[in-house]
Amino acid sequence: MEKKIIFWVVSLSLVAIALAILLPGGRTVDTNPRLPWDITINANNEVEVFDLTLNRSRLVDAREVFQEQGEINMFLAETGDPALEAYFERVFLSGLRADIILVLKAETAQLQGLFNRGSRISRTSGTIHKVELSSEDQLLAANLPIELINYVPAANLDESLILSRFGEPSERISEGESGMTHWIYPHKGLSIGVNPEGKELIQYMPLERIPSFVEHITHDTGERGK
């Protein structure tokens, strides 16, 4: 009887270990790690991260990497151009969990057509409307290239961890009242929004977008300071 008890205890322990390995947070060592700090600039000066190349890889490629379909919506602000986004919630990559938002690249005429054929329009704030795409346009969007990647880690990242993984930024831009500080890495196409009161925001963008991004946040910070 005692041997049977020991057998079942050992068996249950092995099952628990197997589940810990298979479930998120206890996965096996990734043979192809996709980590947020593993950023490559290829021979064409393109940003590569998570096995995706900005301006080249498509939404359908990201779905294969993330093993999720994501939710596609268009956001239209009263000022500025419309944005087509794919939102992936609670994605696990190499054992790290994050929410990921992809900004898809489309011509102005394409975006206008998507807006005109949108199945429903709702307001998300006083100045922003959300447009749900038709089923046909969902298929069209799946083949659009990815221009920007916004990565929101589930865990809060302190400054020492960011420095150890990403290195020292070329510039730090503080928003002042919000407490958010943008760490800029122009040679990586990277910005990290360090937020002492909430989640960090890691943004990957084509190298040529960095100057306009810096100008934009600097202008916004200046306007809020007046």
Side-chain angles (χ1 to χ4, degrees), residues 144-163:
L144 290 175
I146 300 163
E147 185 172 22
L148 307 171
I149 298 176
N150 296 315
Y151 181 95
V152 183
N156 287 331
L157 309 179
D158 60 35
E159 292 192 8
S160 61
L161 177 61
I162 296 171
L163 285 170

Side-chain angles (χ1 to χ4, degrees), residues 174-209:
S174 176
E175 288 191 1
E177 289 183 6
S178 72
M180 173 81 80
T181 301
H182 298 273
W183 292 24
I184 309 298
Y185 300 80
H187 301 300
K188 295 182 179 180
L190 174 70
S191 167
I192 303 177
V194 181
N195 186 357
E197 304 298 330
K199 300 292 186 183
E200 277 61 53
L201 171 61
I202 303 175
Q203 297 177 285
Y204 307 90
M205 63 194 75
L207 299 182
E208 63 271 17
R209 289 285 297 269

Side-chain angles (χ1 to χ4, degrees), residues 126-160:
T127 59
I128 300 177
H129 293 80
K130 182 173 77 172
V131 182
E132 293 185 13
L133 303 187
S134 66
S135 56
E136 293 82 3
D137 285 338
Q138 292 271 347
L139 296 175
L140 185 152
N143 285 292
L144 290 175
I146 300 163
E147 185 172 22
L148 307 171
I149 298 176
N150 296 315
Y151 181 95
V152 183
N156 287 331
L157 309 179
D158 60 35
E159 292 192 8
S160 61

